[in-house]
């Protein structure tokens, strides 16, 4: 038996403990990251008591938006389940990461995924809290901590995003249905190995010890098919796949509904698209939105709907009337300063679509 000791294991360089100069040089050697940090508004979050759910307020708006979402780059919203390819009808693939399919074999995007995506943009363009983050409490900018209303103690004031999307102990005022693909079947894509963010090793995430901004990935003209052949096949919705869904809302003000239209990309001055699902760093998940109809009711009309013997005429608006209504509410949102223009302008540079931006090369 040999008495020589085993060779030492190679150690990974610790950038967190390296000198600032060495760390800066390391960052400069890396290619540009495909994301941007949108700075926070100068003013802290604007906290107000939200409208309740106990009644439809006569001076608020209630109804349903009918949405069509078009896939622009490969889309994958993971179930977290990996199965054999033969289980979903593809014998050539040993293992594949799946998306949700309904009983008709149509791909489905969970309403919770859409809600989170839309909420992140809404937070960025309004004076709202940082709802979910892995940053430490001391790294959150002053007064930007997550809203935590306590109804039993009479503390209900929350930020604009929490008022309509909800918070801990508060349900919110809008609901997203699952989006269902209009065609059956799916495409097979490839997800390169991606790694978790490392804010402890990259100083750009912080400014004077505080979180520097909200992180958004750029849209690109296409998604990377393969990195360095390290990854896994994924079930995807390919380009031009179309999904439909509905968004129910109640007790919204005109500026809140107008801001929602802006976030959905309905403002001609701010043509933005959503970034949904996994693979954002490699260009996946770009979806454009079209509002095809709205069933909007004002509070004073609700009583008549329920006391009449005959069903009222449809209040659904489409076409030019719908466009006029949306632009009216969008202008109301801009005029009321409910939308933070510097943040919206910065976000436009990241989420503008169409784009001519190429996806990052090599392994991200």
């Amino acid at each position: 038996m040999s008495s020589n000791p085993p060779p030492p294991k190679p150690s990974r360089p610790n950038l967190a403990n390296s000198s600032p100069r060495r760390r800066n040089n390391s960052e400069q050697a890396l290619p540009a990251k495909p994301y941007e940090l949108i700075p926070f508004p100068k003013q802290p979050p604007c906290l107000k008591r939200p409208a309740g759910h106990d009644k439809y307020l006569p001076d608020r708006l209630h109804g349903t938006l009918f949405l069509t979402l078009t896939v622009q780059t490969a889309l994958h919203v993971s179930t977290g389940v990996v199965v054999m390819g033969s289980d979903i009808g593809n014998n050539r693939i040993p293992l594949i990461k799946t998306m949700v399919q309904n009983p008709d074999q149509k791909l489905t995007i969970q309403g919770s995924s859409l809600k989170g995506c839309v909420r992140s943009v809404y937070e960025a363009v309004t004076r709202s809290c940082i709802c979910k983050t892995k940053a430490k409490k001391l790294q959150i900018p002053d007064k930007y901590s997550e809203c935590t209303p306590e109804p039993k103690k009479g503390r209900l004031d929350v930020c604009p995003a929490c008022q309509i999307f909800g918070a801990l102990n508060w349900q919110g005022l809008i609901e997203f249905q699952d989006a269902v693909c209009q065609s059956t079947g799916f495409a097979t894509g490839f997800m390169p190995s991606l790694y978790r963010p490392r804010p402890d090793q990259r100083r750009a995430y912080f400014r004077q010890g505080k979180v520097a901004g909200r992180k958004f990935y750029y849209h690109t003209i296409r998604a990377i098919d393969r990195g360095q052949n390290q990854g896994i096949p994924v079930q995807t919705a390919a380009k031009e796949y179309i999904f439909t869904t509905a968004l129910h809302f109640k007790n919204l003000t005109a500026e809140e509904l107008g801001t929602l239209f802006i976030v959905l990309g309905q403002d001609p001055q701010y043509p933005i698209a959503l970034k949904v699902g996994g693979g954002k760093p490699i260009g996946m998940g770009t979806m454009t939105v079209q509002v095809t109809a709205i069933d909007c009711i004002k509070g004073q009309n609700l009583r008549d709907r329920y006391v009449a013997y005959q069903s009222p005429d449809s209040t659904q608006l489409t076409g030019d009337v719908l466009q006029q209504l949306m632009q009216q509410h969008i202008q109301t949102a801009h005029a009321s300063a409910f939308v933070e223009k510097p943040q919206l302008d910065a976000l436009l540079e990241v989420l503008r679509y169409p784009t001519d931006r190429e996806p990052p090369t090599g392994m991200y």
Side-chain angles (χ1 to χ4, degrees):
M1 178 179 296
S2 173
S3 61
N4 294 331
K9 294 182 179 179
S11 59
R12 179 176 295 180
N14 187 352
L15 296 180
N17 296 329
S18 61
S19 66
R21 181 175 181 180
R22 179 180 176 184
R23 185 162 49 193
N24 287 338
N25 290 338
S26 300
E27 290 182 3
Q28 291 172 3
L30 296 174
K33 298 291 185 181
Y35 63 77
E36 197 63 63
L37 297 177
I38 305 301
F40 299 104
K42 293 182 179 179
Q43 299 295 323
C46 179
L47 305 183
K48 290 184 179 178
R49 187 185 183 94
H53 304 93
D54 57 321
K55 59 183 177 181
Y56 292 105
L57 301 174
D59 59 341
R60 300 269 179 146
L61 301 168
H62 330 278
T64 303
L65 295 180
F66 298 92
L67 309 178
T68 295
L69 302 99
T70 303
V71 178
Q72 301 297 340
T73 61
L75 171 79
H76 173 74
V77 182
S78 180
T79 62
V81 176
V82 177
V83 302
M84 292 189 292
S86 57
D87 289 347
I88 57 173
N90 191 328
N91 295 323
R92 295 177 300 176
I93 301 175
L95 294 172
I96 187 169
K97 187 178 285 187
T98 58
M99 284 184 67
V100 172
Q101 288 180 278
N102 69 6
D104 296 329
Q105 303 300 308
K106 294 181 177 179
L107 294 175
T108 302
I109 304 173
Q110 301 90 321
S112 57
S113 293
L114 288 174
K115 184 176 181 179
C117 170
V118 174
R119 177 183 178 128
S120 64
V121 182
Y122 197 98
E123 283 182 5
V125 300
T126 57
R127 289 167 55 188
S128 296
C129 72
I130 304 176
C131 181
K132 300 299 177 188
T133 177
K134 293 183 179 179
K136 299 176 182 177
K137 187 175 181 179
L138 293 176
Q139 295 171 329
I140 304 298
D142 293 342
K143 300 183 180 180
Y144 272 90
S145 297
E146 181 179 355
C147 295
T148 53
E150 298 182 86
K152 292 183 179 178
K153 297 181 180 179
R155 293 172 49 190
L156 285 173
D157 289 351
V158 293
C159 71
C162 288
Q163 288 181 38
I164 72 166
F165 289 90
L168 185 65
N169 298 327
W170 168 244
Q171 183 176 349
L173 301 174
I174 63 174
E175 305 163 13
F176 284 76
Q177 290 184 354
D178 291 347
V180 179
C181 189
Q182 294 305 290
S183 56
T184 57
F186 59 89
T188 302
F190 187 84
M191 184 78 73
S193 297
L194 302 175
Y195 303 95
R196 69 172 179 85
R198 300 179 186 275
D200 52 331
Q201 298 182 13
R202 191 157 192 270
R203 303 174 68 190
Y205 280 107
F206 301 99
R207 184 175 299 121
Q208 297 179 345
K210 302 290 185 180
V211 175
R214 304 178 195 270
K215 185 177 180 179
F216 286 90
Y217 284 95
Y218 284 96
H219 291 302
T220 57
I221 59 175
R222 56 184 171 79
I224 293 176
D225 294 328
R226 289 179 181 272
Q228 295 177 354
N229 297 325
Q230 297 177 353
I232 185 171
V234 291
Q235 199 174 14
T236 63
K239 183 178 175 66
E240 301 300 334
Y241 276 36
I242 293 176
F243 291 74
T244 58
T245 187
L247 187 163
H248 305 286
F249 61 93
K250 55 180 172 289
N251 285 337
L252 295 188
T253 63
E255 55 264 31
E256 288 173 337
L257 185 58
T259 304
L260 193 58
F261 285 137
I262 295 172
V263 170
L264 294 175
Q266 305 306 303
D267 186 348
Q269 302 300 317
Y270 294 92
I272 59 179
L274 300 179
K275 195 82 165 166
V276 185
K280 295 182 181 69
I282 58 170
M284 296 180 67
T286 296
M287 298 189 80
T288 52
V289 180
Q290 180 186 8
V291 180
T292 56
I294 181 172
D295 192 354
C296 188
I297 308 165
K298 291 186 177 180
Q300 60 266 26
N301 297 331
L302 284 172
R303 180 176 178 277
D304 297 337
R305 287 168 59 93
Y306 289 98
V307 299
Y309 285 106
Q310 296 181 343
S311 299
D313 296 335
S314 174
T315 56
Q316 194 170 103
L317 304 178
T318 60
D320 292 340
V321 179
L322 168 62
Q323 293 299 322
Q324 292 174 6
L325 179 71
M326 288 196 297
Q327 298 312 313
Q328 175 186 344
H329 289 312
I330 288 171
Q331 294 307 316
T332 301
H334 286 303
S336 66
F338 187 78
V339 176
E340 295 292 318
K341 191 174 186 307
Q343 281 65 38
L344 182 58
D345 289 342
L347 197 64
L348 175 63
E349 299 305 314
V350 183
L351 296 184
R352 182 192 294 273
Y353 195 84
T355 179
D356 57 357
R357 190 181 184 89
E358 292 283 344
T361 57
M363 182 62 69
Y364 171 72

